[in-house]
Amino acid sequence: NIESEDDNRLINVVLLLEQLLSTGGGWQDQIGGLIGGLKLGTSTVNSLPVKTHVKRIIMKKSTIEKLNNQLVLVFTGQTRLAKNILQNVLRRW
């Protein structure tokens, strides 16, 4: 489940703000940035307001260490808006 009602409220408020600003963002970034660790985030379908759900995936310490030794994070410095990415995907589809 989501970490707390405060986290859930924050996810929903940021989602609403992004929609009002017409950035086209979704709830995935909020869940990814707010809830630590490996998780599976889902949302309701055809329902407003969108309701999110997070399931934490528990890993062995040895698995976490292996992942930490293999993963690389790259910062490109390039700014991207979700709505532009979505438009490009839909055009190519």
Side-chain angles (χ1 to χ4, degrees):
N1 288 344
I2 206 83
E3 286 298 298
S4 72
E5 276 305 308
D6 288 340
D7 291 344
N8 194 29
R9 187 171 35 240
L10 184 57
I11 288 167
N12 288 316
V13 167
V14 173
L15 174 60
L16 176 61
L17 180 60
E18 284 191 348
Q19 297 306 309
L20 290 172
L21 294 172
S22 71
T23 62
W27 48 267
Q28 299 91 342
D29 289 342
Q30 289 83 2
I31 288 176
L34 185 61
I35 309 298
L38 185 63
K39 63 258 174 198
L40 174 63
T42 58
S43 69
T44 55
V45 178
N46 297 327
S47 164
L48 292 174
V50 172
K51 292 188 174 124
T52 58
H53 178 75
V54 179
K55 178 181 177 185
R56 283 185 171 271
I57 299 173
I58 307 301
M59 295 185 295
K60 295 178 186 177
K61 187 172 182 174
S62 61
T63 303
I64 294 171
E65 289 172 359
K66 285 179 185 177
L67 283 172
N68 284 337
N69 289 330
Q70 298 293 320
L71 296 176
V72 176
L73 177 63
V74 177
F75 175 67
T76 65
Q78 182 179 4
T79 303
R80 295 176 292 281
L81 285 177
K83 69 178 180 181
N84 297 340
I85 294 170
L86 180 58
Q87 287 172 353
N88 288 335
V89 168
L90 291 175
R91 272 190 223 117
R92 292 179 188 154
W93 189 30

